[in-house]
Amino acid sequence: MAPTDATTETDVLVIGGGPGGYVAAIRAAQHDLDVTLVEADAYGGTCLNDGCIPSKAFITAADVAHDAANAAGMGIHADPTVDMAELAAWKDGVVDRLTSGVEKLCKANGVSLIEGTATFVDDHTARVAHGDTEQDPEFVAFEACVVATGSRPVEIPGFSFADEHVWSSSDALAAETVPDELVVIGAGYIGMELSTMFAKVGADVTVVEMLDSALPAYDDDITRIVRSRAADLGVEFRFGEGASEWREAEAGIEVATETADGERAVYDADRVLVAVGRRPVTDTLGLDAIGLDPDDNGFLTTDDRTRTDLDHVYAVGDVAGEPMLAHKASAEGIVAAETIAGMSTTLDSQAIPAAVFTDPEIGTVGLTESEAVEAGYDPIVGEMPMRASGRALTMNESEGFVRLVGDGDTGSLLGGQVVAPEASELIAEIGVAIELGATVDDVAETIHTHPTLSEATMEAAENAMEQAIHTLNR
Ligand code: FAD
């Protein structure tokens, strides 16, 4: 069939049904546009199927087991057994519920769904192949297109995901048994979350990282706490080592590493998890057919309305660049849909929060103190340690802190860094405050519920104003 014989005509073609694509599709349909969403694999994308949701389900369950086993100080004596197959079935139930919810929501909003892989044929037509077969492709003619094809895990030479001993994060999240020994390559956020989780359910974990620290995107006083908790759980860190190869051994496998000076080491394992980053999926889209060129890292360049170099082709989510986070993908999806609908929505990326679900969790938003200095501010900084939080102590937690950064001249809140239990939740308040243009004083004067972890945010603001009650002022 020639492209001109398109079987479907649509106002908006959305390619990819992850949090970028399905949100764009639903919002565009809410604006009475005719929308067709094509998904090659599973509705909900990486986030719901191989990323945020299954990882957080595993992490929560591992926390339950670990907390129960370590509650003797509270007078609770338990020795929980983790049945990984049952745990995985529970996790799959959570994923199924959410992915079927996405499908139902799309349909209920009038979005037409096509299961297949879309590639561009020309700048107003895409071809959709069904399954692995090239037979009976479908053609979709579109006025506007939102590319939301996400990202895939990066392989490293010698470690092919096709081998059962080598895990991608997706394989790790499909695990039905706990490896006795697990080597994790990469101490970024995915590597750290999964190492901590597997250590809590009984694996001996070794993390191999070429750099000299974990979570290099975060300040050292934040990562030190997370690293030291992981080490307490038995996670062994091997910094400055790059994984060079693996081979089968008598029992399991051996993973070989090498330092920059050529020093070699070998670690025994049952599985090796490669978590060295993710790459945007732009290579399989037929971008040549529409004359779009990804940048050197494979990302599509967009403006503040998510438009690519072609006015009618938009890119959202992981495919459009860092930060590769689900909530950023959805926010971009909304902007793309509303722009197509003729509205003047733009991206305001002042305060995109980020969370790492380690133990304790990390939450960040806006500027750190050093970033504020670099940006020309004379910052004020306030901090509240969790050891002074009544609620944290009732949760048997005492590590971490809430830190706020404000503009010394105007008092405006510029950023927050939280390393604490529930940091992923605590960071939301700071994000809202930044978004609303609040001052540090506004946060200090907001009455917070007692006893809660969020009081630490108020106390950090008071500390920045040199008015803290429960900590010594700076
Ligand atoms: P995706 O969710 O990747 O969806 C893209 C979709 O496009 C896929 O379903 C794919 O099948 C489809 N597709 C690709 N090509 C085609 C084609 N040619 N035709 C049709 N369909 C196509 N982010 C957070 O914010 N918080 C977290 O806690 C978090 N945890 C994570 C944990 C792990 C282990 C991983 C791997 C990721 C995590 N992320 C997290 C990142 C998050 O999953 C991504 O940022 C998010 O899914 C990106 O959304 P997206 O819509 O851009 O792409």
Side-chain angles (χ1 to χ4, degrees):
M1 182 182 285
T4 45
D5 301 326
T7 53
T8 305
E9 286 187 7
T10 191
D11 294 338
V12 186
L13 169 65
V14 179
I15 306 180
Y22 82 76
V23 168
I26 291 174
R27 179 53 58 89
Q30 286 169 343
H31 285 287
D32 294 328
L33 291 161
D34 180 86
V35 184
T36 301
L37 184 149
V38 182
E39 169 53 54
D41 186 7
Y43 297 113
T46 304
C47 173
L48 268 57
N49 296 281
D50 305 301
C52 324
I53 296 300
S55 61
K56 270 78 250 184
F58 268 6
I59 288 166
T60 303
D63 285 349
V64 170
H66 178 262
D67 291 349
N70 290 278
M74 295 170 160
I76 297 167
H77 303 275
D79 185 12
T81 308
V82 177
D83 182 322
M84 198 64 191
E86 279 179 39
L87 199 170
W90 167 74
K91 174 261 306 173
D92 288 344
V94 174
V95 169
D96 287 349
R97 192 165 162 179
L98 290 169
T99 52
S100 64
V102 165
E103 190 175 347
K104 282 186 200 134
L105 274 173
C106 285
K107 286 180 178 161
N109 279 282
V111 175
S112 303
L113 298 175
I114 302 181
E115 286 169 21
T117 304
T119 42
F120 290 107
V121 176
D122 63 41
D123 58 5
H124 281 281
T125 318
R127 174 182 188 279
V128 182
H130 300 288
D132 292 333
T133 132
E134 288 298 304
Q135 304 242 306
D136 301 326
E138 217 173 320
F139 290 85
V140 182
F142 58 85
E143 294 295 322
C145 177
V146 180
V147 177
T149 47
S151 61
R152 64 169 82 91
V154 171
E155 278 189 349
I156 52 176
F159 293 80
S160 162
F161 294 141
D163 197 296
E164 63 164 327
H165 292 101
V166 181
W167 273 354
S168 66
S169 55
S170 309
D171 300 321
L173 293 171
E176 297 205 353
T177 53
V178 180
D180 289 334
E181 294 175 303
L182 175 67
V183 169
V184 177
I185 305 175
Y189 86 91
I190 293 175
M192 286 300 293
E193 287 185 3
L194 294 180
S195 315
T196 309
M197 184 281 287
F198 275 108
K200 284 186 175 177
V201 292
D204 274 343
V205 181
T206 304
V207 176
V208 174
E209 166 60 59
M210 213 134 64
L211 302 176
D212 58 6
S213 74
L215 299 166
Y218 296 90
D219 284 349
D220 195 51
D221 59 351
I222 292 176
T223 56
R224 205 181 318 121
I225 295 169
V226 167
R227 219 170 47 223
S228 122
R229 180 74 67 94
D232 289 346
L233 291 167
V235 175
E236 195 182 330
F237 289 98
R238 311 297 306 186
F239 293 115
E241 295 183 23
S244 49
E245 58 177 343
W246 70 274
R247 55 185 165 263
E248 288 196 42
E250 227 165 83
I253 60 170
E254 289 176 343
V255 179
T257 68
E258 202 167 331
T259 65
D261 300 335
E263 267 178 54
R264 290 176 64 85
V266 173
Y267 304 102
D268 294 330
D270 301 295
R271 291 284 183 276
V272 52
L273 163 60
V274 180
V276 297
R278 297 181 63 82
R279 196 156 282 149
V281 177
T282 41
D283 50 343
T284 48
L285 267 170
L287 288 173
D288 284 356
I290 58 172
L292 266 188
D293 248 349
D295 70 14
D296 291 347
N297 296 313
F299 293 113
L300 287 173
T301 310
T302 52
D303 64 12
D304 64 351
R305 306 188 73 183
T306 74
R307 277 179 306 217
T308 64
D309 292 343
L310 292 177
D311 269 357
H312 69 301
V313 177
Y314 299 70
V316 303
D318 285 5
V319 86
E322 299 282 358
M324 291 205 250
L325 293 170
H327 42 282
K328 175 261 193 184
S330 297
E332 290 178 344
I334 300 269
V335 172
E338 294 189 349
T339 304
I340 295 167
M343 299 169 67
S344 54
T345 320
T346 55
L347 286 170
D348 174 8
S349 60
Q350 277 295 304
I352 300 178
V356 184
F357 293 75
T358 39
D359 184 357
E361 293 181 355
I362 298 171
T364 56
V365 65
L367 302 181
T368 62
E369 182 177 4
S370 54
E371 285 166 348
V373 171
E374 252 171 61
Y377 294 102
D378 178 16
I380 48 169
V381 177
E383 213 170 276
M384 165 73 169
M386 296 319 284
R387 64 174 181 278
S389 153
R391 183 65 183 123
L393 295 186
T394 65
M395 296 166 76
N396 205 20
E397 300 280 355
S398 57
E399 290 206 77
F401 54 81
V402 175
R403 179 184 296 147
L404 295 184
V405 180
D407 176 357
D409 293 333
T410 63
S412 292
L413 187 60
L414 299 173
Q417 298 85 45
V418 182
V419 54
E422 308 293 347
S424 58
E425 302 288 345
L426 291 172
I427 204 64
E429 175 190 356
I430 305 173
V432 171
I434 294 174
E435 208 55 61
L436 294 177
T439 60
V440 176
D441 196 30
D442 291 330
V443 178
E445 287 182 359
T446 301
I447 300 175
H448 285 63
T449 320
H450 177 73
T452 59
L453 296 171
S454 68
E455 284 174 299
T457 304
M458 175 182 73
E459 188 90 18
E462 290 172 346
N463 185 255
M465 313 286 303
E466 300 183 359
Q467 289 169 4
I469 301 292
H470 298 99
T471 53
L472 290 180
N473 289 302
R474 289 180 154 220

